């Protein structure tokens, strides 16, 4: 492997609790519980596409912009001040950097969410390429964002290792011709047996693979 590509939410960032609360507050304000298939449906979508899906699926009167603004109010402050990296994630990323490997981020999230966390942790400069929800490619149901990240890194897909926490992302990264390590996240623990079965490798914590 010549490059490592990380997902953000649920993989290196302990942040899925933020979106769980955002979803609960959003639907509660409309007299609904979070639909059972909702999180799985939007987990690979960009911020904008998730808002479009939510408006159309539930026939909401709000504009897509209004929905995103409501989500932003709840989430941005949390990312700016409270979201932290998962245990040993920083140390593991540092070990990759020290080995001279390229490091990329492939996330459906937008820069206003992930950059404050990486900057606060002092590691934003360690990343050589970013491919995110503003990159203009299809969502993580498809391999596009991983291929874009590899292209930006200047490394062939066959030489990239991807770290992901969701099944759709794992399958798409493998479809891109990359090796994939599944990362356990409490937010999707019910799917862990299937998640790790889809990947080439799996881990419960980055502490397991620190040299």
């Amino acid at each position: 492997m010549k490059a490592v590509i990380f997902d953000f939410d649920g993989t290196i960032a302990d942040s899925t609790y933020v979106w769980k609360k955002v979803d609960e507050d959003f639907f509660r304000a409309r007299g609904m519980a979070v639909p059972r298939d909702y999180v799985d449906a939007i987990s690979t979508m960009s911020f904008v596409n998730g808002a479009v899906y939510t408006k159309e699926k539930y026939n909401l009167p709000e504009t897509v912009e209004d929905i995103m603004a409501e989500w932003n109010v709840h989430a941005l402050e949390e990312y700016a001040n409270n979201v932290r990296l998962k245990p040993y994630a920083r140390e593991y990323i540092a070990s990759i950097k020290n080995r001279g490997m390229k490091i990329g981020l492939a996330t459906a999230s937008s820069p206003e969410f992930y950059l404050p966390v990486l900057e606060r942790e002092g590691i934003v400069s360690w990343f050589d390429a970013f491919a995110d929800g503003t990159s203009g490619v299809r969502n993580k149901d498809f391999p596009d964002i991983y291929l874009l990240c590899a292209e930006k890194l200047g490394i062939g897909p066959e030489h990239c290792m991807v770290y992901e926490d969701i099944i759709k992302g794992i399958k798409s990264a493998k479809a891109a011709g990359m090796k994939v390590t599944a990362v356990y996240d409490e937010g999707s623990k019910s799917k862990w047996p299937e998640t790790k079965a889809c990947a080439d490798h799996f881990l419960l914590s980055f502490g397991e693979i620190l040299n």
Side-chain angles (χ1 to χ4, degrees):
M1 297 294 105
K2 298 179 180 178
V4 176
I5 297 174
F6 292 98
D7 169 54
F8 185 69
D9 291 293
T11 298
I12 61 170
D14 191 8
S15 57
T16 51
Y17 78 93
V18 178
W19 294 109
K20 183 176 186 292
K21 187 176 187 307
V22 168
D23 293 341
E24 289 172 348
D25 291 346
F26 182 83
F27 283 101
R28 186 184 299 115
R30 290 155 182 82
M32 301 168 59
V34 179
R36 181 169 301 188
D37 62 346
Y38 181 71
V39 173
D40 189 54
I42 69 167
S43 63
T44 59
M45 296 182 188
S46 69
F47 200 60
V48 175
N49 289 343
V52 171
Y53 171 87
T54 303
K55 173 178 173 57
E56 294 178 351
K57 176 73 173 180
Y58 304 104
N59 195 29
L60 300 179
E62 295 89 344
T63 66
V64 169
E65 290 74 19
D66 287 339
I67 292 171
M68 291 192 295
E70 186 172 339
W71 289 346
N72 272 327
V73 166
H74 291 276
L76 283 176
E77 184 176 356
E78 197 68 24
Y79 275 86
N81 298 295
N82 298 319
V83 170
R84 295 290 182 265
L85 294 182
K86 285 189 165 183
Y88 303 106
R90 190 182 193 280
E91 292 85 348
Y92 182 60
I93 297 169
S95 74
I96 295 170
K97 190 72 174 175
N98 290 337
R99 278 180 264 165
M101 298 174 71
K102 293 288 187 72
I103 302 173
L105 192 76
T107 173
S109 186
S110 300
E112 60 263 34
F113 294 107
Y114 67 78
L115 284 179
V117 180
L118 298 181
E119 288 168 353
R120 190 173 61 248
E121 296 282 353
I123 66 171
V124 67
S125 64
W126 297 359
F127 287 80
D128 300 291
F130 297 93
D132 57 40
T134 67
S135 297
V137 295
R138 293 178 296 180
N139 63 39
K140 284 189 173 182
D141 289 327
F142 305 92
D144 305 26
I145 198 165
Y146 305 101
L147 291 170
L148 175 62
C149 193
E151 181 182 340
K152 287 185 172 184
L153 290 169
I155 303 294
E158 70 276 13
H159 298 300
C160 295
M161 171 64 76
V162 174
Y163 287 83
E164 260 287 359
D165 69 306
I166 58 172
I167 294 168
K168 290 179 181 178
I170 290 169
K171 290 181 176 179
S172 291
K174 286 182 69 67
M178 302 174 179
K179 296 293 185 183
V180 185
T181 297
V183 180
Y184 177 79
D185 185 65
E186 276 292 311
S188 53
K189 61 182 178 181
S190 65
K191 297 182 182 295
W192 180 237
E194 184 183 357
T195 303
K196 65 181 182 179
C198 292
D200 299 291
H201 312 281
F202 64 89
L203 56 87
L204 297 175
S205 165
F206 286 104
E208 297 173 14
I209 50 176
L210 273 175
N211 293 328

